[in-house]
Amino acid sequence: DIHEVAVGNRGEMAFVGRPELTFPFQLQRIEPLSTIYEGENIYTGRTGISAEKILWWRPGMQGVAKIDVGERKVLWIISHRMVDYLRMLLWW
Protein backbone atom coordinates (compact mmCIF):
# COMPACT_ATOMS: atom_id res chain seq x y z
CA ASP A 1 0.00 0.00 0.00
CA ILE A 2 2.89 2.35 -0.73
CA HIS A 3 0.56 4.52 -2.84
CA GLU A 4 -1.13 5.60 0.41
CA VAL A 5 2.14 7.01 1.82
CA ALA A 6 3.33 10.50 0.87
CA VAL A 7 6.18 12.82 1.72
CA GLY A 8 5.13 14.94 4.69
CA ASN A 9 3.18 12.19 6.47
CA ARG A 10 3.82 11.99 10.19
CA GLY A 11 4.23 8.87 12.27
CA GLU A 12 6.07 7.31 15.16
CA MET A 13 8.71 4.63 15.48
CA ALA A 14 9.99 2.27 18.13
CA PHE A 15 13.25 0.34 18.16
CA VAL A 16 13.44 -3.40 18.81
CA GLY A 17 15.84 -2.84 21.72
CA ARG A 18 13.57 -0.29 23.46
CA PRO A 19 9.97 -0.92 22.32
CA GLU A 20 8.50 1.03 25.23
CA LEU A 21 9.91 4.31 23.82
CA THR A 22 8.35 5.85 20.72
CA PHE A 23 9.74 8.72 18.66
CA PRO A 24 7.69 10.98 16.39
CA PHE A 25 8.91 11.67 12.85
CA GLN A 26 7.92 13.28 9.56
CA LEU A 27 8.57 11.51 6.25
CA GLN A 28 10.96 13.53 4.08
CA ARG A 29 11.71 11.17 1.18
CA ILE A 30 10.62 7.81 -0.20
CA GLU A 31 13.18 5.94 -2.27
CA PRO A 32 11.60 5.14 -5.67
CA LEU A 33 13.00 1.60 -5.87
CA SER A 34 11.87 -1.23 -3.62
CA THR A 35 14.00 -4.11 -2.39
CA ILE A 36 12.87 -7.63 -1.62
CA TYR A 37 13.37 -8.83 1.95
CA GLU A 38 11.95 -12.17 3.14
CA GLY A 39 9.51 -12.26 0.22
CA GLU A 40 8.14 -8.74 0.83
CA ASN A 41 8.69 -5.53 -1.13
CA ILE A 42 10.36 -3.03 1.17
CA TYR A 43 10.48 0.70 0.48
CA THR A 44 13.08 2.83 2.23
CA GLY A 45 12.03 6.18 3.61
CA ARG A 46 14.03 9.06 5.03
CA THR A 47 12.63 10.89 8.03
CA GLY A 48 13.21 13.89 10.17
CA ILE A 49 13.02 12.79 13.78
CA SER A 50 11.45 15.24 16.20
CA ALA A 51 13.47 14.02 19.20
CA GLU A 52 16.89 14.89 20.51
CA LYS A 53 19.68 12.46 19.67
CA ILE A 54 19.76 9.66 22.20
CA LEU A 55 23.15 8.24 23.21
CA TRP A 56 22.13 4.61 22.76
CA TRP A 57 21.13 5.05 19.08
CA ARG A 58 23.46 3.18 16.71
CA PRO A 59 23.60 2.77 12.91
CA GLY A 60 21.71 -0.28 11.69
CA MET A 61 19.22 -0.45 14.55
CA GLN A 62 15.89 -1.98 13.56
CA GLY A 63 12.38 -1.25 14.65
CA VAL A 64 8.83 -0.58 13.54
CA ALA A 65 7.43 2.65 12.13
CA LYS A 66 3.73 3.46 11.89
CA ILE A 67 2.80 6.16 9.39
CA ASP A 68 -0.44 8.13 9.63
CA VAL A 69 -2.08 8.18 6.19
CA GLY A 70 -5.36 9.76 7.27
CA GLU A 71 -8.84 8.61 8.15
CA ARG A 72 -10.43 5.70 6.28
CA LYS A 73 -13.98 4.38 6.45
CA VAL A 74 -14.42 0.86 7.83
CA LEU A 75 -15.95 -0.36 4.57
CA TRP A 76 -12.90 0.85 2.63
CA ILE A 77 -10.51 -0.85 5.08
CA ILE A 78 -12.36 -4.15 4.72
CA SER A 79 -12.85 -4.11 0.95
CA HIS A 80 -10.06 -2.13 -0.75
CA ARG A 81 -7.75 -5.08 -1.40
CA MET A 82 -10.54 -7.14 -2.96
CA VAL A 83 -11.68 -4.20 -5.11
CA ASP A 84 -8.10 -3.58 -6.30
CA TYR A 85 -7.71 -7.28 -7.14
CA LEU A 86 -10.96 -7.33 -9.12
CA ARG A 87 -9.99 -4.15 -10.98
CA MET A 88 -6.70 -5.71 -12.05
CA LEU A 89 -8.40 -9.01 -12.92
CA LEU A 90 -11.03 -7.30 -15.09
CA TRP A 91 -8.60 -4.58 -16.24
CA TRP A 92 -10.80 -1.52 -15.59
Side-chain angles (χ1 to χ4, degrees):
D1 292 332
I2 190 65
H3 62 278
E4 299 289 332
V5 179
V7 172
N9 285 83
R10 295 186 180 277
E12 62 180 28
M13 66 178 187
F15 293 107
V16 172
R18 299 288 300 270
E20 70 279 1
L21 299 176
T22 59
F23 301 93
F25 67 86
Q26 183 171 6
L27 194 59
Q28 294 177 341
R29 177 182 161 99
I30 302 170
E31 299 294 331
L33 186 63
S34 68
T35 57
I36 297 176
Y37 179 74
E38 295 183 2
E40 300 281 333
N41 285 332
I42 304 296
Y43 288 86
T44 303
R46 307 282 177 184
T47 66
I49 298 174
S50 303
E52 296 176 18
K53 184 176 179 182
I54 309 291
L55 295 176
W56 53 266
W57 285 8
R58 299 287 184 263
M61 292 180 71
Q62 294 185 358
V64 174
K66 295 182 180 183
I67 302 172
D68 182 16
V69 294
E71 295 286 324
R72 301 289 188 259
K73 295 185 181 199
V74 174
L75 182 61
W76 183 88
I77 294 170
I78 293 170
S79 66
H80 82 278
R81 290 185 190 267
M82 181 180 63
V83 170
D84 288 345
Y85 172 77
L86 290 174
R87 286 179 57 206
M88 292 301 293
L89 183 67
L90 300 174
W91 200 259
W92 283 344

